[in-house]
Amino acid sequence: MLFGFNDVYLRKIESAFSDTRVVARGDQLKLRGPESQVDRIERVVGELVMILNRNGNLTENDVDTVLDLARVGTGLRRSAGQDAILFTPAGGTIQAKTPGQTRLVEAARQSDIVFAVGPAGTGKTYTAVALAVGALKSRQVKKIVLTRPAVEAGESLGFLPGGFKDKVDPYLRPLYDALEDMIEREKLQSYLERNIVEIVPLAYMRGRTLNSAFVILDEAQNATAGQMKMFLTRLGAGSRAIVTGDASQTDLPSRTQSGLVRAREILDGVDGIDFIDFGKEDVVRHKLVKDIIEAYERAGND
């Protein structure tokens, strides 16, 4: 099952690494090639063995996903010359396009909790969601939980039309948009109905324990220090988290310290937690966004 019918999975692994030879001898693999690539192949095979042991079978999609994640995490290049995080339903790829995104991808493979901090338009959330979907598709996790604080929805929530879901969905819409780029619409709807993918306001995370989950807290600058501690302590066995935010765009009351800022003060240097800083050089939106960020920086973010 590990090698695939007629060793098709081994041929996929071999073709992903130049100047290497992968040969099956009974229940052993013999690898020949540069030491660095042999080490990478060993890690790929180890990951596939874990998936096989966990699920009882191995699919071609499992092999493709692990190879794509290995390319991103180790600097191996696709033929297009870019690192692929995830294949999209339309047949394209989602890739780390900037230095900040590349650092986020690498950190997420090494640390269980990663903070991605920086200005708008740098692809922090989109990259994080792609990593989560990749982990779900490769069966590294069993579910995805995406959450945001909805601070503006506080006391004014009652003035918005519709039921509670209608009132909070606008704050969660960017997360839906990212998912719809990465998962077929019918499959995403099925995931949502079965709670394989959850998109919830941050307040609804209290009291939960999340096992084997990839959890993303978006717009974390709008979480209070208490909410941030609550979120980080939700993680259970086999779970990972990415926290994204821009400390310069908090919507909290003036006397309330952002949980994102406070978390860095408390957690920076803790083993297993990584902080990735994005800058204006990572902006991937309209070219004017970079100029706008620079102008506000000159004005002292007033």
Side-chain angles (χ1 to χ4, degrees), residues 80-154:
Q82 293 179 307
D83 294 328
I85 303 172
L86 181 72
F87 287 108
T88 67
T93 57
I94 296 173
Q95 298 143 339
K97 298 178 180 178
T98 70
Q101 291 179 13
T102 300
R103 291 194 300 272
L104 173 56
V105 170
E106 293 172 349
R109 288 186 58 80
Q110 298 169 8
S111 301
D112 286 339
I113 299 176
V114 180
F115 287 79
V117 184
T122 51
K124 304 182 298 297
T125 300
Y126 199 82
T127 303
V129 173
L131 287 165
V133 173
L136 181 67
K137 287 188 173 182
S138 64
R139 305 183 189 183
Q140 298 174 43
V141 297
K142 293 181 180 179
K143 70 183 303 177
I144 296 172
V145 179
L146 310 178
T147 184
R148 284 180 132 195
V151 288
E152 302 93 334

Side-chain angles (χ1 to χ4, degrees), residues 213-283:
F214 201 119
V215 193
I216 297 174
L217 171 57
D218 191 34
E219 298 288 341
Q221 73 276 1
N222 288 329
T224 65
Q227 287 175 326
M228 179 63 73
K229 180 181 177 182
M230 178 271 292
F231 169 79
L232 294 174
T233 54
R234 298 308 92 201
L235 294 186
S239 289
R240 299 146 65 184
I242 296 180
V243 178
T244 69
D246 178 3
S248 71
Q249 293 196 24
T250 179
D251 294 311
L252 292 169
S254 58
R255 294 185 179 181
T256 304
Q257 185 180 28
S258 168
L260 180 62
V261 175
R262 184 63 177 150
R264 184 158 208 161
E265 295 172 353
I266 296 172
L267 301 175
D268 200 7
V270 174
D271 190 36
I273 299 178
D274 210 345
F275 287 83
I276 304 299
D277 290 306
F278 286 70
K280 52 184 177 290
E281 69 276 4
D282 295 305
V283 171

